[in-house]
């Protein structure tokens, strides 16, 4: 499997291993949210925290909006407006007390028997709650009793050992840097804002103009382990053009998948959420069509052909349509053709800061 290092991602874990498409992040009920929070270790503050080994990655994260949202997002006038629109006042108006807000904007832990947001969008928000896999993701061969590799020692590991280690960690819920489809579903699980009430009633934005390539080169870039100077003089390397091609295709497909899922779940026809998802579906479809015009990808073409074009507010979208797009995307992620023909379509900029 091609290597795609250092990509920060929002944690679904074992679903990726057994081939089930990740659900929208907001969909977790209170019990599921609590169960995840109980498995969170945290980026800092404990003996087995991420920062104990991944110092450079943590410093890169601290330069991002994913980090600073914990400090300032809930204090913004926009956040207060949305809460007021939803009829929330007083203590209940805090984003950190709302499940609708917490699951995308924060990483939570259980403290003194209560669920509490502790960080912004952090390591485990992206790579999966670490309690079950933290003790094997850095052990030779994925053996909990094996030798612990410190930062930069992965160069001593052979290909078979690395594959065994990553497979073992993924089986326990880790979403590692080669699980590109799962990375994208984690991103779009929040960036499509799949919560109709937040949009229709709260007047929250109906998703962001999220591009997997641009964000991977800025906000979520921390490619130190795979940089040419690692381990002695690592830098936060940019993705190769080959990596960008695959991210661009996967990002376009997952955008279409999650938008179709949102449309299939619409309750208020003609509402702000419905209208926004119709527009987003057509943009995503146009992006995918341009890719498929430039390069033949039969599995994707067959799945996309079933998507109505254009989508309108009167178009009936079944839940099976999104699942079909997801299956095609997973198949593509495991068998990637030459994509050089799409280079003119790939954005060259970055979204957010990228620590050097």
């Amino acid at each position: 499997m091609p290597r795609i290092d250092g990509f920060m991602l929002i944690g679904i874990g074992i679903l990726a291993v057994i081939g089930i498409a990740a659900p929208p992040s907001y969909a977790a009920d209170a019990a599921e949210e609590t169960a995840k929070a109980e498995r969170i270790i945290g980026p800092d503050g404990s003996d087995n925290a991420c920062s104990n080994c991944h110092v450079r990655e943590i410093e890169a994260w601290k330069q991002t909006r994913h980090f600073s949202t914990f400090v300032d997002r809930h204090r913004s006038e926009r956040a207060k407006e949305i809460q007021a629109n939803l009829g929330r006042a007083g203590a209940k108006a805090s984003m950190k007390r709302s499940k609708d807000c917490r699951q995308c904007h924060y990483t939570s832990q259980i403290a003194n028997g209560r669920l509490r947001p502790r960080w912004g969008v952090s390591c485990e928000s992206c790579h999966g709650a670490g309690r079950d896999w933290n003790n094997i993701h850095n052990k030779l061969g994925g053996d909990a009793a094996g030798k612990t590799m410190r930062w930069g020692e992965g160069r001593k590991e052979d290909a078979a050992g690395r594959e065994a280690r990553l497979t073992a960690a993924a089986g326990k819920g880790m979403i590692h840097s080669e699980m590109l489809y799962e990375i994208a579903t984690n991103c779009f699980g929040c960036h499509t804002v799949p919560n109709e009430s937040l949009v229709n009633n709260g007047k929250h934005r109906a998703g962001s103009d999220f591009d997997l390539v641009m964000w991977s080169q800025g906000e979520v870039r921390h490619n130190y382990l795979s940089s040419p100077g690692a381990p002695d003089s690592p830098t936060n390397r940019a993705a190769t053009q080959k990596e960008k091609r695959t991210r661009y295709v996967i990002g376009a497909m997952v955008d279409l998948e999650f938008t179709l899922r949102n449309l299939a779940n619409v309750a208020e026809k003609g509402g702000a959420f419905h209208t926004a998802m119709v527009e987003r579906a057509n943009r995503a479809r146009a992006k995918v069509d341009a890719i498929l015009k430039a390069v033949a990808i039969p599995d994707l073409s067959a799945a996309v052909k079933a998507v109505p074009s254009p989508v309108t507010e009167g178009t009936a979208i079944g839940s099976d349509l999104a699942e079909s797009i997801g299956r095609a995307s997973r198949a593509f992620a495991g068998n990637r053709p030459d994509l050089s023909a799409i280079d003119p379509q790939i954005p060259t900029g970055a979204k957010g800061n990228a620590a050097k």
Side-chain angles (χ1 to χ4, degrees), residues 199-251:
V199 177
N200 289 351
N201 301 320
K203 312 304 179 186
H204 192 291
R205 281 200 307 167
S208 59
D209 188 16
F210 180 85
D211 182 272
L212 197 59
V213 173
M214 293 183 69
W215 280 65
S216 74
Q217 299 312 289
E219 178 77 7
V220 292
R221 177 173 152 190
H222 52 282
N223 303 328
Y224 293 96
L225 285 171
S226 62
S227 71
D232 299 324
S233 302
T235 58
N236 195 359
R237 76 166 179 87
T240 67
Q241 190 64 18
K242 185 176 181 180
E243 289 170 339
K244 290 179 183 179
R245 292 166 187 159
T246 307
R247 293 176 190 183
Y248 185 72
V249 175
I250 290 290

Side-chain angles (χ1 to χ4, degrees), residues 226-291:
S226 62
S227 71
D232 299 324
S233 302
T235 58
N236 195 359
R237 76 166 179 87
T240 67
Q241 190 64 18
K242 185 176 181 180
E243 289 170 339
K244 290 179 183 179
R245 292 166 187 159
T246 307
R247 293 176 190 183
Y248 185 72
V249 175
I250 290 290
M253 286 292 290
V254 174
D255 191 357
L256 181 59
E257 175 192 348
F258 272 65
T259 304
L260 291 172
R261 181 176 289 113
N262 290 349
L263 284 170
N265 293 328
V266 162
E268 185 182 335
K269 305 296 183 182
F273 181 79
H274 188 198
T275 299
M277 289 302 112
V278 166
E279 294 173 353
R280 186 174 189 122
N282 289 320
R283 289 196 305 270
R285 171 64 185 271
K287 191 172 182 178
V288 172
D289 282 346
I291 291 169

Side-chain angles (χ1 to χ4, degrees), residues 139-161:
K139 296 292 181 68
L140 282 175
D143 180 1
K147 178 185 176 183
T148 300
M149 295 187 299
R150 296 301 177 185
W151 198 97
E153 290 185 351
R155 291 175 179 251
K156 301 176 182 178
E157 186 180 32
D158 62 27

Side-chain angles (χ1 to χ4, degrees), residues 4-16:
I4 305 171
D5 291 278
F7 200 93
M8 201 179 208
L9 44 150
I10 301 173
I12 308 299
I14 191 64
L15 296 179

Side-chain angles (χ1 to χ4, degrees), residues 12 51 56:
I12 308 299
S51 59
R56 294 172 178 84

